[in-house]
Amino acid sequence: MAIDPVCIGVIGAGDISAVYLGAIARSSAVTLRKIATRNRDNVQAIAAPYGATGCSVAELLADDAIELVVNLTPGSAHEEINRAAIEAGKHVYSEKPFALSRRVAEELAERAEARGVLIGSAPDTFYGSAHQAARRALDGGAIGRPVFGTSLLGLPGLEHFHPNPAAFYQPGGEPPFDVGPYYITMWLHLLGPVRRVFAASGNGQAQRTIRRGPLQGTSFNVEVDTTFNATLEFETGFVNLTMSLDVVAPIQRPGELYGAQGILSLADPIFFSGEPSLLRPGEGRTALPGNDLPFSQPNRLNHAGQPVADYRGVGLTDLVLALRNGRRHRTAPDFIVHAVEVMEAIAQSARIGQSIAMQTRCRRPDPIDPVADADLIALTPSPFDLADALSQAKPHLTPLDAEAS
């Protein structure tokens, strides 16, 4: 399908920008015009290979040709940049989290509606084949009525692999707002909106020391809790979600959903692919095939050097199609606001020691339909070249590299 390409400006050129710029450069649905950073020293060198112009944030927002802003700044700056883009009349696709509080997320959504612009937000990994295969099994009644679920992510700390991790140990960077969005959106996609949250938290270290990069050996103070255990109560069942930066060796149990008639084992929500499976009495464990679903083809290497599918940017394409065709995209404002409220509620509940009832609801995102979403599939390119990754034989770093690093 061909559409009139949407003119895009990207704000922020950190680690995640290479993924988005790769996807944007390969997509016929968008045209990259400008890249902006607050530090203009290197932005032109970043922009030039993509045929774009480096500029300041103010210059980008003042450019009438730019229809949509992709916000890749640090999470603490998302409110400021998203607000400025909306007020400038730009559509916005933001890295996660869209905001750090329900109040701000609601306010930005209301301003976007008033200004007649659309908003979308990462993570979009739940569009992936592994998560869609699990959704298909659940909706097909494979486990009966969902009763409860679990997810666990334990890491030694981002300082083991990130060159400048201090922001993740300050307010707004703690696990519910950093790794939490991957798990929260996975569960919202499966079970719909959350009704109530109760959480507890703790902190293992008062200081951390950077282990790699130019700041190696530098220590910094930890200003937030770094381990969170949350119970998310849904309309059908509940989920126990544990996220920690205090585990001496990486451990991950992406998720299991226990139903009245079976168990769904879920895939890593940080990626699009994986190995979901179904366990039913008398039938043993069977894999849930997803090769017939979109966004399943491996295109990069994970922390262990194994090929995985990673199509970050499909959410941006979904937003572009909503803009051009009037369709509803899956990270619509109600989904964004509710996800942010869950993140905030985990941190707040842990702080005050009380459960928090959700004030918002969201529509459960539609599953990916290979026929109905043919345009979305066709217009979403791979941001990676697996052949290049294999030839270099160097795995792409993720949080689970912490032990090896």
Side-chain angles (χ1 to χ4, degrees):
M1 173 188 178
I3 64 170
D4 182 19
V6 172
C7 186
I8 283 182
V10 172
I11 300 179
D15 290 343
I16 195 64
S17 65
V19 180
Y20 279 91
L21 293 174
I24 290 168
R26 290 175 166 93
S27 176
S28 63
V30 296
T31 300
L32 179 61
R33 180 172 172 87
K34 288 181 177 177
I35 299 175
T37 64
R38 286 178 171 167
N39 183 350
R40 295 189 60 178
D41 292 346
N42 299 319
V43 67
Q44 187 54 46
I46 296 170
Y50 298 97
T53 301
C55 66
S56 69
V57 173
E59 289 170 331
L60 187 150
L61 293 178
D63 189 336
D64 291 336
I66 293 175
E67 300 173 74
L68 190 154
V69 168
V70 178
N71 181 5
L72 305 181
T73 61
S76 59
H78 285 182
E79 174 187 346
E80 175 191 355
I81 298 299
N82 290 339
R83 186 185 304 277
I86 290 168
E87 295 301 335
K90 313 295 187 188
H91 309 281
V92 175
Y93 187 83
S94 177
E95 248 303 314
K96 50 82 180 169
F98 188 81
L100 297 177
S101 72
R102 173 181 61 87
R103 178 190 62 80
V104 169
E106 284 184 320
E107 181 183 341
L108 293 177
E110 290 170 359
R111 285 302 299 158
E113 183 176 12
R115 295 285 289 156
V117 298
L118 301 180
I119 58 173
S121 179
D124 54 5
T125 49
F126 67 88
Y127 288 57
S129 59
H131 310 294
Q132 294 296 319
R135 168 74 177 265
R136 180 167 61 185
L138 176 63
D139 289 355
I143 66 169
R145 181 178 63 85
V147 180
F148 74 101
T150 64
S151 287
L152 166 65
L153 177 65
L155 302 172
L158 280 72
E159 68 277 7
H160 286 261
F161 73 94
H162 199 287
N164 190 15
F168 298 102
Y169 297 92
Q170 297 171 357
E174 55 264 57
F177 297 103
D178 178 40
V179 296
Y182 293 108
Y183 291 84
I184 290 166
T185 54
M186 177 183 75
W187 285 112
L188 292 179
H189 168 250
L190 288 171
L191 299 178
V194 174
R195 294 173 56 183
R196 186 178 302 274
V197 171
F198 180 76
S201 64
N203 187 340
Q205 302 176 47
Q207 280 195 330
R208 304 267 178 156
T209 301
I210 299 173
R211 304 298 182 89
R212 48 189 311 142
L215 298 178
Q216 183 176 353
T218 303
S219 296
F220 57 89
N221 293 330
V222 175
E223 301 178 15
V224 295
D225 282 350
T226 47
T227 293
F228 288 80
N229 190 314
T231 298
L232 313 181
E233 179 188 342
F234 294 82
E235 292 183 359
T236 54
F238 62 92
V239 170
N240 185 269
L241 171 59
T242 300
M243 303 164 286
S244 177
L245 301 180
D246 297 300
V247 180
V248 295
I251 184 171
Q252 184 183 33
R253 300 188 181 101
E256 287 191 319
L257 180 58
Y258 298 83
Q261 299 171 19
I263 302 171
L264 272 179
S265 291
L266 307 174
D268 183 352
I270 295 176
F271 293 109
F272 286 67
S273 61
E275 299 179 350
S277 64
L278 171 66
L279 177 64
R280 287 172 57 93
E283 300 178 11
R285 187 176 296 276
T286 58
L288 295 176
N291 292 336
D292 61 321
L293 294 170
F295 316 120
S296 62
Q297 186 66 32
N299 60 356
R300 58 166 280 192
L301 303 179
N302 68 4
H303 65 284
Q306 300 300 314
V308 294
D310 191 346
Y311 290 82
R312 292 167 208 267
V314 61
L316 171 61
T317 305
D318 207 10
L319 179 63
V320 164
L321 288 170
L323 172 60
R324 285 291 185 255
N325 300 336
R327 57 179 282 171
R328 178 184 172 89
H329 61 292
R330 289 167 177 82
T331 61
D334 64 322
F335 188 80
I336 292 173
V337 171
H338 189 69
V340 168
E341 184 181 20
V342 175
M343 300 171 208
E344 181 189 25
I346 293 173
Q348 183 180 5
S349 174
R351 187 167 57 249
I352 67 176
Q354 298 177 7
S355 66
I356 296 178
M358 297 295 95
Q359 302 301 306
T360 67
R361 291 176 55 82
C362 69
R363 172 176 160 175
R364 191 179 178 221
D366 292 337
I368 301 292
D369 184 312
V371 176
D373 290 304
D375 50 354
L376 174 66
I377 298 162
L379 292 171
T380 300
S382 168
F384 301 99
D385 187 327
L386 181 59
D388 287 348
L390 290 171
S391 67
Q392 295 171 10
K394 291 182 179 180
H396 184 84
L397 287 174
T398 75
L400 291 182
D401 286 297
E403 182 181 36
S405 301

